[in-house]
Amino acid sequence: MTKLRVQCFSLSLDGFGAGPGQDLDNPLGIGGMALHEWVFATRTFRQMHDGGEGGATGPDDDFVARGFDNIGAWILGRNMFGPVRGPWPDESWKGWWGPNPPYHTQVFVLTRHARAPLEMEGGTTFHFVTDGIHGAWKRAVDAAKGRDVRLGGGVDTLRQYLRAQLVDEMHLAIAPVLLGSGENLFAGLDLPRLGYRTAERVATPGATHIVIRK
Amino acid sequence: MTKLRVQCFSLSLDGFGAGPGQDLDNPLGIGGMALHEWVFATRTFRQMHDGGEGGATGPDDDFVARGFDNIGAWILGRNMFGPVRGPWPDESWKGWWGPNPPYHTQVFVLTRHARAPLEMEGGTTFHFVTDGIHGAWKRAVDAAKGRDVRLGGGVDTLRQYLRAQLVDEMHLAIAPVLLGSGENLFAGLDLPRLGYRTAERVATPGATHIVIRK
């Protein structure tokens, strides 16, 4: 059965998944890039994003690789797709990732503003879903054809899916940094009451990896 | 110069230092005991609390031992001293720890309700301070005679001292558990803005240890 999985979602010690002031220059908010340091050195990241050789293996790399294993579709909140707010002024914004985004599946972007599907290189097509988190989940399950759906974020989107108890598994990577403000994953969210428990924990020099499951 | 140090303060993944519903049966709140599992196996804890032999050495134990190194006085919030709220009904409550508490120094308990000092076995005397966090700090510095002051907690007391930028060093131990509700250390507290940064990180199987400094 198709699972909804959050993978490699980095948090600060104080629970923030992104810093304040997200914009075109700071897609992860101010200071947010520091959350992801543990990823950049991994072999899987280098191969996927830089086409590079080398990179570190080990638990960090295993988690990055696992994040792409058996994934048949993605769901993204609109802010993960781009900095544009409100109605789409035109069709010029095509995501943060250039002509060949790292998804290579159907990607369902949550938005209140309709837009035609956007076919990219490498097998990625962005679909703009206007009927909410349940609608996106249903369409992603169909597209995944028995494989799992990865929920990419951001924080607000995760919180909506967790509150709806639709997330089956969530891998968090807690980085050794304080952000102080921004988007907090945990605030007002009682995960044990929603049925979630810590199932795995692996600490590396760069992050404490936690897997939470229903 | 005397420093104000928080040591071995355990937090859940979602930032709670104690569970909800603190009372006589649950001094750490419901579920709160799970935050401290990493401590119980250490050699230092066993020697201090059970008078026992053995116990684990290594980074967990190093942090427990460091928490008692060069400490000349303690400050505690009233809830750490006991479950009694409001005016003291009598002098019968003498702390959670029995006749010989593990402090062996002067201990300054923050309260709004005056009470005579309470001399215990082993060199511990509890003083009840009614003039707030700055008054307690001043008295603790005098009592410490050049050594450091340890701030024991709980969460609300830590938050007050952090907001006042009086804490010099804070060691947090992040346990692999979710509490969902209770007392949150980070909520609404912008530690970077208050001048705090992560200075050390050591992960063990039981906890991710973080030292935050000004």
Side-chain angles (χ1 to χ4, degrees):
Chain A
M1 214 181 81
T2 295
K3 287 182 177 167
L4 185 59
R5 290 160 46 195
V6 176
Q7 301 278 168
C8 298
F9 199 82
S10 298
L11 288 182
S12 68
L13 292 169
D14 43 359
F16 297 101
Q22 192 203 36
D23 62 17
L24 194 57
D25 296 325
N26 291 287
L28 303 167
I30 295 162
M33 193 62 85
L35 302 180
H36 304 274
E37 291 293 333
W38 68 274
V39 176
F40 303 140
T42 63
R43 189 176 64 170
T44 303
F45 180 86
R46 288 207 183 185
Q47 285 173 348
M48 293 186 66
H49 291 259
D50 308 325
E53 300 288 309
T57 57
D60 289 336
D61 188 59
D62 293 345
F63 273 107
V64 177
R66 187 165 144 180
F68 294 94
D69 184 44
N70 195 39
I71 297 295
W74 284 68
I75 297 172
L76 301 181
R78 187 183 180 178
N79 296 359
M80 274 210 63
F81 179 71
V84 183
R85 303 288 182 266
W88 303 100
D90 54 45
E91 311 247 310
S92 62
W93 181 264
K94 297 183 175 185
W96 301 102
W97 308 277
N100 188 352
Y103 301 105
H104 314 297
T105 66
Q106 311 295 299
V107 178
F108 299 89
V109 178
L110 296 159
T111 170
R112 286 197 192 84
H113 303 281
R115 178 172 165 179
L118 181 60
E119 194 170 336
M120 308 293 287
E121 294 172 21
T124 299
T125 300
F126 294 110
H127 301 272
F128 301 89
V129 181
T130 56
D131 57 348
I133 64 167
H134 288 88
W137 167 233
K138 207 171 161 185
R139 289 185 62 187
V141 170
D142 288 346
K145 293 190 171 35
R147 288 187 290 163
D148 293 338
V149 174
R150 181 162 164 184
L151 180 59
V155 170
D156 184 59
T157 302
L158 261 57
R159 289 167 58 84
Q160 290 183 53
Y161 276 101
L162 288 164
R163 281 221 172 87
Q165 297 172 291
L166 287 170
V167 176
D168 292 288
E169 181 175 310
M170 175 164 69
H171 162 225
L172 303 174
I174 301 174
V177 295
L178 293 164
L179 283 182
S181 63
E183 295 191 68
N184 195 293
L185 180 64
F186 297 121
L189 199 64
D190 189 333
L191 289 175
R193 183 167 296 193
L194 291 165
Y196 293 98
R197 293 288 178 277
T198 305
E200 291 178 51
R201 174 182 177 278
V202 181
T204 69
T208 301
H209 298 279
I210 301 284
V211 179
I212 290 165
R213 290 206 186 92
K214 270 208 289 200
Chain B
M1 215 180 81
T2 294
K3 287 183 178 168
L4 184 59
R5 290 160 46 195
V6 175
Q7 301 279 168
C8 300
F9 200 82
S10 298
L11 287 183
S12 68
L13 292 168
D14 42 359
F16 297 101
Q22 192 202 35
D23 62 18
L24 194 58
D25 295 325
N26 291 288
L28 303 167
I30 295 162
M33 194 61 86
L35 301 179
H36 303 275
E37 291 293 333
W38 68 273
V39 177
F40 303 140
T42 62
R43 188 177 64 170
T44 303
F45 180 86
R46 287 207 184 185
Q47 285 172 350
M48 294 187 66
H49 291 259
D50 309 326
E53 300 290 309
T57 57
D60 289 336
D61 188 59
D62 294 344
F63 273 107
V64 177
R66 186 165 146 178
F68 295 93
D69 185 44
N70 196 39
I71 297 297
W74 283 69
I75 298 172
L76 301 181
R78 186 182 182 179
N79 297 359
M80 273 210 63
F81 178 71
V84 182
R85 303 288 182 267
W88 304 99
D90 53 47
E91 310 248 311
S92 61
W93 181 264
K94 297 184 175 183
W96 301 102
W97 307 276
N100 188 352
Y103 301 106
H104 314 297
T105 66
Q106 311 294 300
V107 178
F108 298 89
V109 178
L110 297 159
T111 169
R112 286 198 192 83
H113 304 281
R115 178 173 166 178
L118 182 60
E119 194 170 336
M120 308 293 288
E121 295 172 20
T124 298
T125 300
F126 294 111
H127 300 272
F128 300 90
V129 181
T130 55
D131 57 349
I133 63 168
H134 289 88
W137 168 233
K138 207 172 160 184
R139 290 185 62 186
V141 169
D142 288 345
K145 293 188 172 35
R147 287 187 291 163
D148 292 338
V149 174
R150 181 162 164 183
L151 180 60
V155 170
D156 184 58
T157 302
L158 261 57
R159 289 166 58 85
Q160 290 183 53
Y161 276 100
L162 288 164
R163 280 222 172 86
Q165 297 173 291
L166 287 171
V167 176
D168 292 288
E169 180 175 310
M170 175 164 68
H171 162 225
L172 303 174
I174 300 174
V177 296
L178 294 163
L179 284 182
S181 63
E183 294 191 68
N184 195 293
L185 179 64
F186 297 120
L189 197 66
D190 190 332
L191 289 175
R193 183 167 296 194
L194 291 165
Y196 294 99
R197 294 288 179 276
T198 305
E200 291 179 50
R201 174 181 178 278
V202 181
T204 70
T208 301
H209 298 280
I210 302 283
V211 178
I212 289 165
R213 290 205 188 92
K214 270 208 289 202

